[in-house]
Structure formats: structure tokens, C-alpha cells
Amino acid sequence: MVDRKNRGDAVVVIGLGRFGGALAAELVGRDIEVLGIDSDAKNVQEFSGRLTHVVCADSTDPDALTQLGIAEFGRAVVGIGTDLEASILTTSILADLGVPDIWAKSISLQHGRILERVGAHHVVQPEHDMGERVAHLVTGRMLDYVEIDENYAVVKTKAPRWADGRTLGELGIRKKYGVTVIGIKKPGGRFTYATSGTVISGDDTLLVAGETDQAERFAEET
């Protein structure tokens, strides 16, 4: 079992399907102790030996989670997908047990609202978020796109041709577009912090932060 004295830093992942299983494996790869729970013996068998500990249990049973000492964990992830009732009930039980940081997967906005009401501190929609991200990449000229908050994003894009040979201070990008260039990468190099004295070349890659529509507008300039 996960070391009792370290449970505050450990994560319990409930539901070892595609999302939960991949997340649990990634956490273990980052040297984080993980207790995986699933009601399907096949999923438990698949992750046996890959996670710190794996248990076959019904997460909608408060007694089962209590006996597993889930209240001692600092973080919990509910990765249950299509069984909405199990997802909501499990999240509610975790909240009742006092788990301080609960993450829950939702499959719709309505499902997400319910999860928040019953105690989830963070709700993620993997399919929706990935679909939105890909849509931005497909329809624009961005190389990558990450929405940090509602209507605020960081985009990776090629430097516009008209910026070639000029400093960020001279270009006045923040004043003209309402976005901030926070990083720059030369061809074959790594990203470094950008300052007002940074000279831009037409083949540079930029990291730009700002309101989503403004960041998109700037990316279209490339």
C-alpha cells in the first residue's frame, strides 16, 4: 500500500480507463505515489505492477473508500467516464471524506457543473478541451495553443515577417495587439525569456500570451 506517512503527497486515481489509466501511469513516471482504484478486475490486472498500488473496489461505497484510507490522501482524481452516477457519487464521497484537492473528469458541461456542486475542486473535459485546442490549430496559423483561463491563452506561433530585425520595444506589439511576447526561440535553439531589447528574426518562434481573440489575431499576422 502507499506509505501512510507520505499519503499527503500521493494521488488516488479512481477509474483506470483511457484517461485515468494514462494519467496514473504519467504520475508514476514523475515519481509520484499513486493508488489506482477500479471496479473492473481487468483494468486492475492491467495496471498491477505499473502503479504504486492497485485495488479492485467499488468507489461508490463509502465504507470501501474509508477502509482504503482515502481521507489521508492529499489529492484525488475521478477518471470515471460514461457512468455518470458513479462519477458523481464517487466525487461526493471524496468531498465528504475531506480530500482537500479533488479533480474530476466530466463528459459534458452539465456533468461538470454537477461535479462542482457535489465537491470537485477542478473539473476537466479532456475530449472537449482537446477538440477546442485542435480546432484553433486547424483554423489558424498557430503552432500550438493552450487556454490558461477563460478567454486567456498562450499561443506558439512564427514571428511575423514585418518584425524581422527589430526589437520588441520598437515593434510595440502589446500596444498594437494587446498581447505580450513572453518567450522566443531561434531556429535550432531553446525558448528564452523575451525582453524589450530582444531582436526578432522572421524565422523565430514566439510564445505570446493574451486574450484568446487577440492572441489569435496576432498569430494570423505570421
Side-chain angles (χ1 to χ4, degrees):
M1 177 61 82
V2 175
D3 189 347
R4 180 178 293 272
K5 67 181 180 181
N6 292 326
R7 283 185 181 175
D9 297 324
V11 180
V12 56
V13 178
I14 302 175
L16 298 175
R18 283 190 302 173
F19 171 74
L23 173 64
E26 177 67 21
L27 289 171
V28 169
R30 299 186 181 196
D31 295 325
I32 295 173
E33 292 186 272
V34 174
L35 168 62
I37 300 176
D38 201 291
S39 59
D40 188 331
K42 291 182 179 179
N43 286 343
V44 171
Q45 182 62 35
E46 179 182 349
F47 285 92
S48 179
R50 296 174 57 189
L51 306 182
T52 313
H53 195 72
V54 189
V55 174
C56 186
D58 178 6
S59 63
T60 65
D61 180 355
D63 291 336
L65 295 187
T66 299
Q67 291 173 11
L68 288 170
I70 302 305
E72 299 173 22
F73 282 76
R75 292 164 291 177
V77 179
V78 181
I80 300 171
T82 55
D83 190 339
L84 300 187
E85 183 178 354
S87 165
I88 294 165
L89 186 54
T90 297
T91 302
S92 176
I93 293 171
L94 291 173
D96 289 342
L97 289 173
V99 177
D101 196 16
I102 302 170
W103 296 73
K105 171 189 173 181
S106 76
I107 60 173
S108 68
L109 292 175
Q110 184 178 21
H111 181 203
R113 293 191 192 101
I114 295 173
L115 289 171
E116 289 176 339
R117 287 172 186 164
V118 299
H121 303 102
H122 313 274
V123 173
V124 294
Q125 285 187 264
E127 291 86 357
H128 173 272
D129 294 344
M130 180 56 71
E132 183 179 40
R133 176 171 174 264
V134 173
H136 279 90
L137 300 180
V138 169
T139 58
R141 300 191 64 183
M142 290 172 281
L143 302 175
D144 206 349
Y145 165 92
V146 178
E147 191 166 45
I148 305 300
D149 201 351
E150 185 176 357
N151 198 34
Y152 191 90
V154 174
V155 303
K156 182 169 76 171
T157 183
K158 285 292 185 183
R161 294 294 180 187
W162 46 259
D164 190 38
R166 302 172 67 188
T167 67
L168 284 175
E170 293 172 339
L171 292 168
I173 290 174
R174 184 184 300 178
K175 182 176 181 180
K176 183 176 181 181
Y177 292 93
V179 298
T180 301
V181 178
I182 57 177
I184 181 171
K185 184 172 76 170
K186 300 294 182 182
R190 296 182 177 181
F191 273 107
T192 59
Y193 290 111
T195 68
S196 60
T198 298
V199 178
I200 304 297
S201 297
D203 53 0
D204 290 343
T205 301
L206 306 179
L207 281 182
V208 180
E211 292 188 8
T212 303
D213 57 345
Q214 293 175 319
E216 290 176 342
R217 185 166 68 93
F218 176 76
E220 291 300 319
E221 291 285 325
T222 61

